[in-house]
Amino acid sequence: MVPFSSIAGMMFTIIAAFFVPVIGAIVLCAAGRLRWKAVIAGFFFYGLSQALLRLPLLWLFYQIPGMTSFVYSNLLGNALVMGLSAALSEECMRYVGARFAMGRRGQPVTGRDALGYGLGHSIAETFFVMGLTAFTNLMLAFALNQTGLSGYAEQFGQEEALQVYQVLTGTPALQFAAGGVERLLYTLVQICLTALVFYGVRRKNWRYPLLAAGAHFLFIAGVSLMQPHGVWMGEGYVLVFAVMMAALCLPVLRRLWRMDEKKGLEKPEESAGQPQTKE
């Protein structure tokens, strides 16, 4: 049987990764603290960044002679390609979203727009990266506990049943739960990166989007380098990086909010239909 602690870890990951961000976005938007437009834009532009930029960029990388062997046989090569492709595609699309979706009709992007966009971006990333894996693991655990290994093997075959059983019973419960903590930390990082890009757009200063791209590169490249050395090495790196990004970027988000207050944009609905002066 799959231990109850492992099932609890799977359930925690599903709640933390999927339900907490989604319910949080719904509650904040319903309360008027965020704009639906920002959350939806973050979700939509993340998908575009992967389909229109990152996947074609990776395809171009792999057309370079020797690049495929460099990436797959070299840990550093994989980290460089993954980090560079993520930083270029996602920060470019964040800039496009801030400049042309959130900052149209003379209205500046706001701190709440940055928060909502980052939250939508993280929700989309969770769906694209985790997909149905977390739900599938939980359903398989329930199926094994209900029918037993022999009953599961009758339906899906002995070999597949043994593989599933070994994975679900051999993985520590904390490792299942770590996925949920990781997604919460990723959400914090994505909000911080979005704050940097949106602040740069608001101030018309390219240094902040470039800083976001550099930080994103270090984040993804570092995770790629740490994870092969063990799950907890990767999780530790994510934790340390998220804390550093919060220390760096939350003051930037506060500056955006102070700018909103001076412009009379404390709440999203207050800005509708009001002419805005230039920064």
Short mmCIF file of all heavy atoms in Angstrom, two decimals, residues 33-96:
data_model
loop_
_atom_site.label_atom_id
_atom_site.label_comp_id
_atom_site.label_asym_id
_atom_site.label_seq_id
_atom_site.Cartn_x
_atom_site.Cartn_y
_atom_site.Cartn_z
N ARG A 33 -8.88 44.04 -5.47
CA ARG A 33 -7.45 44.32 -5.20
C ARG A 33 -6.58 44.06 -6.42
O ARG A 33 -5.49 44.61 -6.53
CB ARG A 33 -6.97 43.45 -4.04
CG ARG A 33 -7.80 43.55 -2.77
CD ARG A 33 -8.01 44.98 -2.33
NE ARG A 33 -6.75 45.63 -2.02
CZ ARG A 33 -6.63 46.92 -1.73
NH1 ARG A 33 -7.70 47.71 -1.76
NH2 ARG A 33 -5.45 47.44 -1.44
N LEU A 34 -7.05 43.19 -7.33
CA LEU A 34 -6.35 42.92 -8.58
C LEU A 34 -7.33 43.07 -9.72
O LEU A 34 -8.55 43.02 -9.52
CB LEU A 34 -5.76 41.50 -8.60
CG LEU A 34 -4.72 41.13 -7.56
CD1 LEU A 34 -4.29 39.69 -7.75
CD2 LEU A 34 -3.52 42.04 -7.61
N ARG A 35 -6.79 43.22 -10.93
CA ARG A 35 -7.63 43.24 -12.12
C ARG A 35 -7.59 41.88 -12.79
O ARG A 35 -6.52 41.29 -12.96
CB ARG A 35 -7.15 44.32 -13.10
CG ARG A 35 -7.42 45.73 -12.66
CD ARG A 35 -7.35 46.70 -13.83
NE ARG A 35 -6.02 46.81 -14.40
CZ ARG A 35 -5.77 47.41 -15.57
NH1 ARG A 35 -6.75 47.92 -16.27
NH2 ARG A 35 -4.54 47.49 -16.01
N TRP A 36 -8.78 41.40 -13.19
CA TRP A 36 -8.83 40.15 -13.94
C TRP A 36 -7.96 40.23 -15.18
O TRP A 36 -7.33 39.25 -15.58
CB TRP A 36 -10.27 39.84 -14.35
CG TRP A 36 -11.09 39.25 -13.27
CD1 TRP A 36 -12.13 39.85 -12.59
CD2 TRP A 36 -10.94 37.95 -12.70
NE1 TRP A 36 -12.63 39.00 -11.65
CE2 TRP A 36 -11.94 37.82 -11.70
CE3 TRP A 36 -10.09 36.88 -12.94
CZ2 TRP A 36 -12.09 36.66 -10.94
CZ3 TRP A 36 -10.24 35.72 -12.18
CH2 TRP A 36 -11.22 35.61 -11.21
N LYS A 37 -7.94 41.40 -15.80
CA LYS A 37 -7.16 41.58 -17.02
C LYS A 37 -5.69 41.25 -16.81
O LYS A 37 -5.06 40.62 -17.66
CB LYS A 37 -7.30 43.02 -17.51
CG LYS A 37 -6.51 43.34 -18.76
CD LYS A 37 -6.68 44.80 -19.15
CE LYS A 37 -5.84 45.15 -20.38
NZ LYS A 37 -5.98 46.58 -20.76
N ALA A 38 -5.15 41.64 -15.65
CA ALA A 38 -3.74 41.39 -15.38
C ALA A 38 -3.46 39.90 -15.20
O ALA A 38 -2.49 39.37 -15.73
CB ALA A 38 -3.30 42.16 -14.13
N VAL A 39 -4.34 39.22 -14.45
CA VAL A 39 -4.15 37.78 -14.22
C VAL A 39 -4.26 37.01 -15.53
O VAL A 39 -3.44 36.13 -15.83
CB VAL A 39 -5.17 37.26 -13.19
CG1 VAL A 39 -5.01 35.75 -12.99
CG2 VAL A 39 -5.02 37.99 -11.87
N ILE A 40 -5.28 37.33 -16.31
CA ILE A 40 -5.49 36.63 -17.59
C ILE A 40 -4.34 36.92 -18.55
O ILE A 40 -3.86 36.04 -19.27
CB ILE A 40 -6.84 37.04 -18.21
CG1 ILE A 40 -7.98 36.53 -17.32
CG2 ILE A 40 -6.98 36.49 -19.62
CD1 ILE A 40 -9.34 37.04 -17.71
N ALA A 41 -3.86 38.18 -18.55
CA ALA A 41 -2.73 38.54 -19.41
C ALA A 41 -1.49 37.75 -19.04
O ALA A 41 -0.75 37.26 -19.90
CB ALA A 41 -2.46 40.03 -19.33
N GLY A 42 -1.23 37.61 -17.73
CA GLY A 42 -0.07 36.83 -17.30
C GLY A 42 -0.16 35.39 -17.75
O GLY A 42 0.83 34.80 -18.21
N PHE A 43 -1.35 34.80 -17.64
CA PHE A 43 -1.56 33.42 -18.08
C PHE A 43 -1.38 33.30 -19.59
O PHE A 43 -0.65 32.43 -20.08
CB PHE A 43 -2.98 32.98 -17.69
CG PHE A 43 -3.23 31.51 -17.84
CD1 PHE A 43 -3.18 30.67 -16.74
CD2 PHE A 43 -3.52 30.95 -19.08
CE1 PHE A 43 -3.42 29.30 -16.88
CE2 PHE A 43 -3.76 29.59 -19.23
CZ PHE A 43 -3.70 28.77 -18.12
N PHE A 44 -2.02 34.20 -20.32
CA PHE A 44 -2.01 34.15 -21.78
C PHE A 44 -0.61 34.40 -22.36
O PHE A 44 -0.15 33.64 -23.23
CB PHE A 44 -2.99 35.19 -22.32
CG PHE A 44 -3.02 35.30 -23.82
CD1 PHE A 44 -3.61 34.31 -24.59
CD2 PHE A 44 -2.45 36.39 -24.46
CE1 PHE A 44 -3.64 34.41 -25.97
CE2 PHE A 44 -2.48 36.50 -25.84
CZ PHE A 44 -3.07 35.51 -26.60
N PHE A 45 0.07 35.40 -21.85
CA PHE A 45 1.38 35.73 -22.41
C PHE A 45 2.45 34.71 -22.03
O PHE A 45 3.45 34.57 -22.74
CB PHE A 45 1.81 37.14 -21.99
CG PHE A 45 1.18 38.22 -22.82
CD1 PHE A 45 0.11 38.95 -22.34
CD2 PHE A 45 1.63 38.49 -24.10
CE1 PHE A 45 -0.49 39.94 -23.11
CE2 PHE A 45 1.04 39.47 -24.89
CZ PHE A 45 -0.03 40.20 -24.38
N TYR A 46 2.26 33.99 -20.91
CA TYR A 46 3.19 32.89 -20.63
C TYR A 46 3.08 31.82 -21.71
O TYR A 46 4.09 31.32 -22.21
CB TYR A 46 2.92 32.27 -19.26
CG TYR A 46 3.78 31.04 -19.03
CD1 TYR A 46 5.10 31.17 -18.60
CD2 TYR A 46 3.30 29.76 -19.28
CE1 TYR A 46 5.90 30.05 -18.43
CE2 TYR A 46 4.09 28.64 -19.11
CZ TYR A 46 5.39 28.79 -18.68
OH TYR A 46 6.19 27.68 -18.53
N GLY A 47 1.85 31.47 -22.06
CA GLY A 47 1.65 30.48 -23.13
C GLY A 47 2.27 30.94 -24.44
O GLY A 47 2.92 30.16 -25.14
N LEU A 48 2.08 32.23 -24.76
CA LEU A 48 2.68 32.76 -25.99
C LEU A 48 4.21 32.73 -25.92
O LEU A 48 4.86 32.44 -26.93
CB LEU A 48 2.22 34.20 -26.21
CG LEU A 48 0.79 34.42 -26.70
CD1 LEU A 48 0.54 35.91 -26.94
CD2 LEU A 48 0.51 33.62 -27.97
N SER A 49 4.76 33.01 -24.75
CA SER A 49 6.22 33.02 -24.63
C SER A 49 6.81 31.65 -24.93
O SER A 49 7.91 31.54 -25.50
CB SER A 49 6.64 33.48 -23.23
OG SER A 49 6.38 32.49 -22.25
N GLN A 50 6.10 30.60 -24.54
CA GLN A 50 6.59 29.25 -24.80
C GLN A 50 6.39 28.84 -26.25
O GLN A 50 7.29 28.29 -26.89
CB GLN A 50 5.87 28.25 -23.88
CG GLN A 50 6.00 28.55 -22.40
CD GLN A 50 7.43 28.65 -21.93
OE1 GLN A 50 8.21 27.72 -22.05
NE2 GLN A 50 7.80 29.80 -21.37
N ALA A 51 5.20 29.14 -26.79
CA ALA A 51 4.87 28.68 -28.14
C ALA A 51 5.57 29.50 -29.22
O ALA A 51 6.03 28.95 -30.23
CB ALA A 51 3.36 28.74 -28.35
N LEU A 52 5.67 30.81 -29.02
CA LEU A 52 6.19 31.69 -30.08
C LEU A 52 7.67 32.03 -29.92
O LEU A 52 8.31 32.41 -30.90
CB LEU A 52 5.38 33.00 -30.12
CG LEU A 52 3.88 32.86 -30.41
CD1 LEU A 52 3.25 34.24 -30.50
CD2 LEU A 52 3.64 32.07 -31.70
N LEU A 53 8.19 31.91 -28.71
CA LEU A 53 9.58 32.32 -28.49
C LEU A 53 10.48 31.19 -28.00
O LEU A 53 11.49 30.88 -28.62
CB LEU A 53 9.62 33.50 -27.50
CG LEU A 53 9.03 34.81 -27.97
CD1 LEU A 53 9.09 35.87 -26.87
CD2 LEU A 53 9.75 35.33 -29.22
N ARG A 54 10.11 30.56 -26.88
CA ARG A 54 11.06 29.62 -26.28
C ARG A 54 11.26 28.36 -27.12
O ARG A 54 12.40 27.95 -27.36
CB ARG A 54 10.62 29.23 -24.87
CG ARG A 54 11.77 28.53 -24.13
CD ARG A 54 11.43 28.20 -22.71
NE ARG A 54 12.63 27.74 -22.01
CZ ARG A 54 12.62 27.19 -20.81
NH1 ARG A 54 11.47 27.06 -20.16
NH2 ARG A 54 13.75 26.78 -20.24
N LEU A 55 10.17 27.75 -27.57
CA LEU A 55 10.32 26.53 -28.37
C LEU A 55 11.05 26.80 -29.69
O LEU A 55 11.96 26.04 -30.05
CB LEU A 55 8.95 25.89 -28.62
CG LEU A 55 8.26 25.32 -27.37
CD1 LEU A 55 6.90 24.75 -27.72
CD2 LEU A 55 9.13 24.25 -26.71
N PRO A 56 10.71 27.87 -30.44
CA PRO A 56 11.51 28.18 -31.63
C PRO A 56 12.96 28.50 -31.30
O PRO A 56 13.87 28.14 -32.07
CB PRO A 56 10.79 29.40 -32.23
CG PRO A 56 9.39 29.29 -31.74
CD PRO A 56 9.50 28.72 -30.36
N LEU A 57 13.19 29.16 -30.17
CA LEU A 57 14.55 29.50 -29.78
C LEU A 57 15.35 28.24 -29.48
O LEU A 57 16.52 28.11 -29.89
CB LEU A 57 14.53 30.42 -28.56
CG LEU A 57 15.85 31.09 -28.16
CD1 LEU A 57 16.37 31.95 -29.29
CD2 LEU A 57 15.64 31.94 -26.90
N LEU A 58 14.75 27.29 -28.76
CA LEU A 58 15.42 26.03 -28.50
C LEU A 58 15.70 25.27 -29.79
O LEU A 58 16.76 24.66 -29.95
CB LEU A 58 14.58 25.17 -27.55
CG LEU A 58 14.52 25.63 -26.09
CD1 LEU A 58 13.49 24.82 -25.33
CD2 LEU A 58 15.89 25.51 -25.44
N TRP A 59 14.74 25.33 -30.72
CA TRP A 59 14.94 24.66 -32.02
C TRP A 59 16.13 25.27 -32.74
O TRP A 59 16.96 24.55 -33.32
CB TRP A 59 13.68 24.80 -32.86
CG TRP A 59 13.79 24.13 -34.20
CD1 TRP A 59 13.58 22.82 -34.50
CD2 TRP A 59 14.17 24.75 -35.44
NE1 TRP A 59 13.79 22.57 -35.83
CE2 TRP A 59 14.17 23.74 -36.44
CE3 TRP A 59 14.52 26.05 -35.80
CZ2 TRP A 59 14.49 24.01 -37.76
CZ3 TRP A 59 14.84 26.32 -37.12
CH2 TRP A 59 14.82 25.29 -38.08
N LEU A 60 16.26 26.60 -32.69
CA LEU A 60 17.40 27.26 -33.33
C LEU A 60 18.71 26.88 -32.65
O LEU A 60 19.73 26.66 -33.31
CB LEU A 60 17.22 28.78 -33.30
CG LEU A 60 16.16 29.36 -34.24
CD1 LEU A 60 16.00 30.85 -33.99
CD2 LEU A 60 16.54 29.11 -35.69
N PHE A 61 18.70 26.80 -31.32
CA PHE A 61 19.90 26.39 -30.60
C PHE A 61 20.37 25.02 -31.07
O PHE A 61 21.57 24.80 -31.30
CB PHE A 61 19.62 26.34 -29.09
CG PHE A 61 19.74 27.66 -28.39
CD1 PHE A 61 18.88 28.00 -27.37
CD2 PHE A 61 20.72 28.58 -28.75
CE1 PHE A 61 18.98 29.22 -26.72
CE2 PHE A 61 20.83 29.79 -28.11
CZ PHE A 61 19.96 30.12 -27.10
N TYR A 62 19.42 24.10 -31.22
CA TYR A 62 19.78 22.73 -31.56
C TYR A 62 20.19 22.57 -33.02
O TYR A 62 20.68 21.51 -33.41
CB TYR A 62 18.64 21.77 -31.22
CG TYR A 62 18.40 21.63 -29.74
CD1 TYR A 62 17.12 21.71 -29.19
CD2 TYR A 62 19.47 21.43 -28.86
CE1 TYR A 62 16.91 21.59 -27.83
CE2 TYR A 62 19.27 21.31 -27.50
CZ TYR A 62 17.99 21.39 -26.99
OH TYR A 62 17.79 21.28 -25.63
N GLN A 63 19.99 23.61 -33.83
CA GLN A 63 20.47 23.57 -35.21
C GLN A 63 21.96 23.89 -35.31
O GLN A 63 22.58 23.65 -36.33
CB GLN A 63 19.68 24.56 -36.09
CG GLN A 63 18.18 24.30 -36.13
CD GLN A 63 17.83 22.87 -36.44
OE1 GLN A 63 18.22 22.33 -37.48
NE2 GLN A 63 17.09 22.23 -35.54
N ILE A 64 22.52 24.46 -34.24
CA ILE A 64 23.95 24.78 -34.23
C ILE A 64 24.73 23.46 -34.16
O ILE A 64 24.45 22.61 -33.30
CB ILE A 64 24.30 25.67 -33.03
CG1 ILE A 64 23.50 26.98 -33.10
CG2 ILE A 64 25.79 25.95 -32.97
CD1 ILE A 64 23.67 27.86 -31.88
N PRO A 65 25.70 23.27 -35.04
CA PRO A 65 26.47 22.01 -35.03
C PRO A 65 27.09 21.72 -33.67
O PRO A 65 27.74 22.59 -33.08
CB PRO A 65 27.55 22.26 -36.10
CG PRO A 65 26.94 23.28 -37.00
CD PRO A 65 26.11 24.17 -36.14
N GLY A 66 26.88 20.54 -33.17
CA GLY A 66 27.46 20.13 -31.90
C GLY A 66 26.66 20.56 -30.67
O GLY A 66 27.00 20.17 -29.55
N MET A 67 25.59 21.37 -30.86
CA MET A 67 24.86 21.88 -29.70
C MET A 67 24.10 20.77 -28.97
O MET A 67 24.04 20.76 -27.75
CB MET A 67 23.89 22.97 -30.15
CG MET A 67 23.07 23.58 -29.01
SD MET A 67 24.09 24.34 -27.72
CE MET A 67 24.69 25.79 -28.60
N THR A 68 23.52 19.83 -29.73
CA THR A 68 22.74 18.77 -29.09
C THR A 68 23.61 17.94 -28.15
O THR A 68 23.23 17.68 -26.99
CB THR A 68 22.11 17.85 -30.15
OG1 THR A 68 21.26 18.63 -31.01
CG2 THR A 68 21.29 16.76 -29.50
N SER A 69 24.77 17.53 -28.60
CA SER A 69 25.66 16.74 -27.73
C SER A 69 26.18 17.60 -26.58
O SER A 69 26.35 17.10 -25.46
CB SER A 69 26.84 16.20 -28.55
OG SER A 69 27.59 17.26 -29.12
N PHE A 70 26.40 18.89 -26.83
CA PHE A 70 26.87 19.79 -25.78
C PHE A 70 25.84 19.91 -24.66
O PHE A 70 26.19 19.91 -23.47
CB PHE A 70 27.17 21.17 -26.37
CG PHE A 70 27.55 22.21 -25.36
CD1 PHE A 70 28.76 22.12 -24.67
CD2 PHE A 70 26.72 23.29 -25.09
CE1 PHE A 70 29.11 23.08 -23.73
CE2 PHE A 70 27.07 24.25 -24.16
CZ PHE A 70 28.27 24.14 -23.48
N VAL A 71 24.57 19.98 -25.02
CA VAL A 71 23.50 20.14 -24.03
C VAL A 71 23.25 18.85 -23.27
O VAL A 71 23.15 18.84 -22.04
CB VAL A 71 22.21 20.63 -24.71
CG1 VAL A 71 21.03 20.56 -23.74
CG2 VAL A 71 22.38 22.05 -25.24
N TYR A 72 23.16 17.72 -23.99
CA TYR A 72 22.76 16.48 -23.36
C TYR A 72 23.91 15.74 -22.66
O TYR A 72 23.65 14.88 -21.81
CB TYR A 72 22.11 15.55 -24.39
CG TYR A 72 20.72 15.99 -24.76
CD1 TYR A 72 20.49 16.66 -25.96
CD2 TYR A 72 19.64 15.75 -23.92
CE1 TYR A 72 19.21 17.09 -26.31
CE2 TYR A 72 18.37 16.17 -24.25
CZ TYR A 72 18.15 16.83 -25.44
OH TYR A 72 16.90 17.25 -25.77
N SER A 73 25.14 16.08 -23.00
CA SER A 73 26.26 15.41 -22.35
C SER A 73 27.00 16.32 -21.38
O SER A 73 27.95 15.91 -20.74
CB SER A 73 27.26 14.90 -23.41
OG SER A 73 27.81 15.99 -24.14
N ASN A 74 26.53 17.55 -21.26
CA ASN A 74 27.24 18.54 -20.44
C ASN A 74 26.23 19.24 -19.55
O ASN A 74 25.31 19.91 -20.04
CB ASN A 74 27.96 19.54 -21.35
CG ASN A 74 28.89 20.45 -20.57
OD1 ASN A 74 28.49 21.08 -19.61
ND2 ASN A 74 30.14 20.53 -21.02
N LEU A 75 26.37 19.11 -18.25
CA LEU A 75 25.44 19.73 -17.31
C LEU A 75 25.44 21.25 -17.44
O LEU A 75 24.38 21.90 -17.41
CB LEU A 75 25.81 19.32 -15.88
CG LEU A 75 24.85 19.76 -14.77
CD1 LEU A 75 23.47 19.18 -15.00
CD2 LEU A 75 25.41 19.33 -13.41
N LEU A 76 26.61 21.83 -17.61
CA LEU A 76 26.71 23.28 -17.76
C LEU A 76 26.04 23.74 -19.05
O LEU A 76 25.35 24.77 -19.07
CB LEU A 76 28.17 23.71 -17.74
CG LEU A 76 28.43 25.22 -17.90
CD1 LEU A 76 27.77 26.00 -16.76
CD2 LEU A 76 29.94 25.49 -17.94
N GLY A 77 26.21 22.97 -20.13
CA GLY A 77 25.58 23.32 -21.39
C GLY A 77 24.07 23.33 -21.28
O GLY A 77 23.39 24.24 -21.78
N ASN A 78 23.52 22.33 -20.61
CA ASN A 78 22.07 22.27 -20.41
C ASN A 78 21.59 23.46 -19.59
O ASN A 78 20.55 24.07 -19.90
CB ASN A 78 21.70 20.97 -19.70
CG ASN A 78 20.22 20.85 -19.43
OD1 ASN A 78 19.41 20.72 -20.34
ND2 ASN A 78 19.85 20.93 -18.17
N ALA A 79 22.34 23.80 -18.53
CA ALA A 79 21.96 24.93 -17.69
C ALA A 79 21.98 26.24 -18.48
O ALA A 79 21.07 27.08 -18.34
CB ALA A 79 22.90 25.02 -16.49
N LEU A 80 22.99 26.43 -19.32
CA LEU A 80 23.10 27.66 -20.10
C LEU A 80 21.95 27.79 -21.09
O LEU A 80 21.34 28.86 -21.21
CB LEU A 80 24.44 27.69 -20.84
CG LEU A 80 25.69 27.88 -19.98
CD1 LEU A 80 26.95 27.73 -20.84
CD2 LEU A 80 25.68 29.25 -19.31
N VAL A 81 21.64 26.72 -21.80
CA VAL A 81 20.58 26.77 -22.81
C VAL A 81 19.22 26.95 -22.16
O VAL A 81 18.41 27.77 -22.61
CB VAL A 81 20.61 25.50 -23.68
CG1 VAL A 81 19.38 25.43 -24.57
CG2 VAL A 81 21.87 25.48 -24.54
N MET A 82 18.94 26.20 -21.09
CA MET A 82 17.64 26.33 -20.41
C MET A 82 17.47 27.72 -19.80
O MET A 82 16.41 28.34 -19.92
CB MET A 82 17.51 25.27 -19.31
CG MET A 82 17.40 23.84 -19.82
SD MET A 82 15.95 23.56 -20.86
CE MET A 82 16.71 23.52 -22.49
N GLY A 83 18.52 28.22 -19.16
CA GLY A 83 18.44 29.53 -18.53
C GLY A 83 18.30 30.65 -19.54
O GLY A 83 17.48 31.56 -19.38
N LEU A 84 19.08 30.58 -20.62
CA LEU A 84 19.04 31.63 -21.63
C LEU A 84 17.71 31.65 -22.36
O LEU A 84 17.12 32.72 -22.58
CB LEU A 84 20.18 31.42 -22.62
CG LEU A 84 20.43 32.54 -23.65
CD1 LEU A 84 20.76 33.84 -22.95
CD2 LEU A 84 21.55 32.15 -24.60
N SER A 85 17.19 30.49 -22.73
CA SER A 85 15.93 30.44 -23.46
C SER A 85 14.77 30.92 -22.59
O SER A 85 13.88 31.63 -23.06
CB SER A 85 15.66 29.02 -23.96
OG SER A 85 15.55 28.10 -22.88
N ALA A 86 14.77 30.56 -21.31
CA ALA A 86 13.70 31.00 -20.42
C ALA A 86 13.76 32.51 -20.20
O ALA A 86 12.73 33.19 -20.26
CB ALA A 86 13.80 30.27 -19.08
N ALA A 87 14.96 33.03 -19.96
CA ALA A 87 15.09 34.47 -19.69
C ALA A 87 14.70 35.31 -20.90
O ALA A 87 13.95 36.28 -20.78
CB ALA A 87 16.53 34.78 -19.27
N LEU A 88 15.18 34.94 -22.07
CA LEU A 88 14.89 35.73 -23.27
C LEU A 88 13.40 35.69 -23.62
O LEU A 88 12.78 36.73 -23.88
CB LEU A 88 15.71 35.21 -24.45
CG LEU A 88 17.20 35.50 -24.42
CD1 LEU A 88 17.90 34.84 -25.61
CD2 LEU A 88 17.48 37.00 -24.44
N SER A 89 12.81 34.50 -23.59
CA SER A 89 11.42 34.37 -24.03
C SER A 89 10.45 35.00 -23.03
O SER A 89 9.56 35.78 -23.40
CB SER A 89 11.07 32.90 -24.26
OG SER A 89 11.23 32.15 -23.07
N GLU A 90 10.61 34.70 -21.77
CA GLU A 90 9.62 35.14 -20.78
C GLU A 90 9.75 36.62 -20.46
O GLU A 90 8.74 37.32 -20.29
CB GLU A 90 9.71 34.28 -19.52
CG GLU A 90 9.30 32.84 -19.79
CD GLU A 90 9.32 31.96 -18.55
OE1 GLU A 90 9.08 32.50 -17.43
OE2 GLU A 90 9.59 30.76 -18.68
N GLU A 91 10.97 37.14 -20.38
CA GLU A 91 11.11 38.58 -20.10
C GLU A 91 10.69 39.42 -21.30
O GLU A 91 10.11 40.50 -21.13
CB GLU A 91 12.54 38.89 -19.68
CG GLU A 91 12.75 38.91 -18.18
CD GLU A 91 12.24 37.66 -17.48
OE1 GLU A 91 12.75 36.56 -17.79
OE2 GLU A 91 11.35 37.77 -16.63
N CYS A 92 10.98 38.96 -22.50
CA CYS A 92 10.49 39.67 -23.69
C CYS A 92 8.96 39.73 -23.69
O CYS A 92 8.37 40.78 -23.96
CB CYS A 92 10.99 39.00 -24.97
SG CYS A 92 12.72 39.32 -25.35
N MET A 93 8.32 38.61 -23.38
CA MET A 93 6.86 38.59 -23.39
C MET A 93 6.28 39.37 -22.22
O MET A 93 5.20 39.95 -22.33
CB MET A 93 6.36 37.16 -23.40
CG MET A 93 4.95 37.02 -23.93
SD MET A 93 4.71 37.69 -25.60
CE MET A 93 5.51 36.43 -26.61
N ARG A 94 6.98 39.39 -21.08
CA ARG A 94 6.54 40.24 -19.97
C ARG A 94 6.55 41.71 -20.41
O ARG A 94 5.62 42.46 -20.09
CB ARG A 94 7.46 40.07 -18.76
CG ARG A 94 7.10 38.93 -17.84
CD ARG A 94 7.91 39.03 -16.55
NE ARG A 94 7.54 37.98 -15.62
CZ ARG A 94 8.18 36.83 -15.50
NH1 ARG A 94 9.21 36.57 -16.27
NH2 ARG A 94 7.78 35.92 -14.64
N TYR A 95 7.60 42.09 -21.10
CA TYR A 95 7.70 43.48 -21.56
C TYR A 95 6.56 43.79 -22.53
O TYR A 95 5.92 44.85 -22.45
CB TYR A 95 9.05 43.72 -22.24
CG TYR A 95 9.19 45.13 -22.76
CD1 TYR A 95 9.61 46.16 -21.93
CD2 TYR A 95 8.89 45.43 -24.08
CE1 TYR A 95 9.72 47.46 -22.39
CE2 TYR A 95 8.99 46.73 -24.56
CZ TYR A 95 9.41 47.73 -23.71
OH TYR A 95 9.51 49.02 -24.18
N VAL A 96 6.31 42.87 -23.46
CA VAL A 96 5.21 43.07 -24.42
C VAL A 96 3.88 43.18 -23.68
O VAL A 96 3.05 44.05 -23.99
CB VAL A 96 5.18 41.92 -25.45
CG1 VAL A 96 3.91 41.99 -26.30
CG2 VAL A 96 6.41 41.97 -26.34
#
